[in-house]
Amino acid sequence: MDTGSTFNIVFHDTLKRMTVELGEVIPTPKLLTGYLGITSMTLRSIKLPVMAKEVTKIVDFAVVDQPAVYNVIMGVTWINAMKAVFSTYHLGIKFPTLNGIAAIWGCQKQL
C-alpha cells in the first residue's frame, strides 16, 4: 500500500510470472515520479481483478519495467474504491463487505 501514490502499479516481472503477455496490455505511457524524485515512464496500463477477502474489484494498473521487491503497489485509487481505512502503524486495512467489516493485517516479522 502506498497512501501517497495516485497509481496502482504492477511490475512487468509480476505479469510475466502471471503469464500475462504485454500484447494484452493497453499502451498508455505515463510519467511517474518516485520517492527520490526519479522519474520514469510506465510501459502500458492493464485492468486486473483484485480480490480482498470476499470483495473483488477490477483495478487499473500502470505497468512498470523496474526491479522491485514488491509484486504490486496498491495506491489511493484502490483504497478509495474499496472504501477502506488503512493504518500504516498497525499494518492493516479495513473495508466494508456485504457481511460486515473485513480486515487484512500485515506482519513486520522478517522471514
Side-chain angles (χ1 to χ4, degrees), residues 8 15 21 23 31 34 39 52 54 58 62 67 76 85 87-88 90 96 99 102 109-110:
N8 299 304
L15 291 177
E21 297 294 327
L31 184 66
T39 59
E54 65 259 30
I58 301 299
V76 175
V85 176
S87 170
T88 54
H90 295 99
N99 299 314
K109 222 183 226 186
Q110 297 292 330

Side-chain angles (χ1 to χ4, degrees), residues 9-15 63-64 66-68 70-73:
I9 298 171
V10 62
F11 296 92
H12 185 237
D13 285 343
T14 302
L15 291 177
V63 180
V64 177
Q66 300 287 333
Y70 307 108
N71 292 318
V72 298
I73 296 175

Side-chain angles (χ1 to χ4, degrees), residues 41-80:
M41 294 297 287
T42 65
L43 296 176
R44 300 166 181 260
S45 66
I46 187 171
K47 291 184 185 296
L48 297 170
V50 175
M51 183 174 188
K53 299 285 184 166
E54 65 259 30
V55 177
T56 301
K57 298 278 184 192
I58 301 299
V59 178
D60 196 15
F61 285 93
V63 180
V64 177
D65 193 10
Q66 300 287 333
V69 295
Y70 307 108
N71 292 318
V72 298
I73 296 175
M74 304 306 292
V76 175
T77 55
W78 180 78
I79 295 169
N80 288 342

Side-chain angles (χ1 to χ4, degrees), residues 92-108:
I93 186 168
K94 289 185 175 185
F95 51 92
T97 71
L98 295 176
N99 299 314
I101 301 297
I104 299 173
W105 303 103
C107 179
Q108 287 185 332

